[in-house]
Amino acid sequence: MTEPTHDEAHGGALGSRLNWLRAAVLGSNDGIVSTAGLVVGVAGATDSRAALLTAGLAGLLAGSMSMAAGEYVSVSTQRDSEVAALAVEKRELKERPEAELEELTELLQQRGLSHEVAREAAAQLTARDALKAHARVELGIDPDELTVPWHAAWASFLAFTAGALLPLLAIVLPPAGRRLPVTVVCVLAALVLTGWTSARLGAADPKRAVLRNVAGGALAMAVTYAAGTLLGAAGV
């Protein structure tokens, strides 16, 4: 009889990986759309490769740093909240262990266990690691896997940079007469890919996600190109 394997990811670990992957896809999507809008807008005003490269690089660096800083602040706040909640739980376990045991029992009952089974499970979990049991069941926190701000910041920085490089290279590498169409085609193709990927990760309808993604990117490029063209015509 074949023994069951346990190589597959469990729910929590799989969910965490999917969240990171989804964040990376969305970060790269932001890099694509924001940088594409910027360079296409500049292309509407001038065909100078130096101006396009300068604007694209500035947008890439500003956007990636902004994403990284924002993610660092956000995740730091989340981690501070988790650490504070764990400290409160640790103090309560020390000061009133019986009340905490009863609380854990009630929480397990709310998940469908009978009182007897919930009480026994709560007692065993408490004996093994009371803080971890309460953190997971009561707070929804895994003390062994607290969020790391620097990891999130670097992930956002790299994801945005990877996405922003595509429209930047597409606008500066081709000859002047082909820059705009090449950039538009490359950006729309990339948006199809990121839209489809994000939908698959979220178990959503890929067609609707792709349509929204492509429409949003196309609108952003159209608006910025129109603005750049008007400014260029006005000699600004």
Side-chain angles (χ1 to χ4, degrees), residues 69-150:
E71 194 71 11
Y72 180 83
V73 171
S74 174
V75 174
S76 293
T77 301
Q78 178 185 341
R79 184 184 178 89
D80 291 343
S81 299
E82 292 172 344
V83 171
L86 289 173
V88 171
E89 198 63 39
K90 187 175 181 179
R91 186 178 68 249
E92 291 177 345
L93 285 167
K94 182 179 180 180
E95 294 175 352
R96 51 183 196 132
E98 288 301 323
E100 289 298 299
L101 178 60
E102 186 60 36
E103 182 181 35
L104 184 58
T105 301
E106 292 176 1
L107 290 169
L108 292 173
Q109 279 186 265
Q110 293 173 11
R111 299 192 175 191
L113 299 180
S114 66
H115 178 74
E116 292 76 13
V117 174
R119 183 73 177 187
E120 178 63 23
Q124 291 189 23
L125 289 171
T126 299
R128 182 178 301 172
D129 191 326
L131 180 60
K132 183 177 292 186
H134 279 266
R136 289 178 172 174
V137 178
E138 182 181 348
L139 305 176
I141 299 173
D142 187 343
D144 296 329
E145 295 185 9
L146 295 180
T147 52
V148 181
W150 280 112

Side-chain angles (χ1 to χ4, degrees), residues 167-186:
L168 175 59
L169 295 176
I171 201 74
V172 299
L173 293 181
R178 298 181 181 178
R179 287 173 187 161
L180 190 59
V182 168
T183 301
V184 170
V185 170
C186 289

Side-chain angles (χ1 to χ4, degrees), residues 32-42 167 217 220-221 224-225:
I32 293 168
V33 174
S34 61
T35 307
L38 179 61
V39 296
V40 167
V42 175
M221 289 188 290
T224 55
Y225 182 74

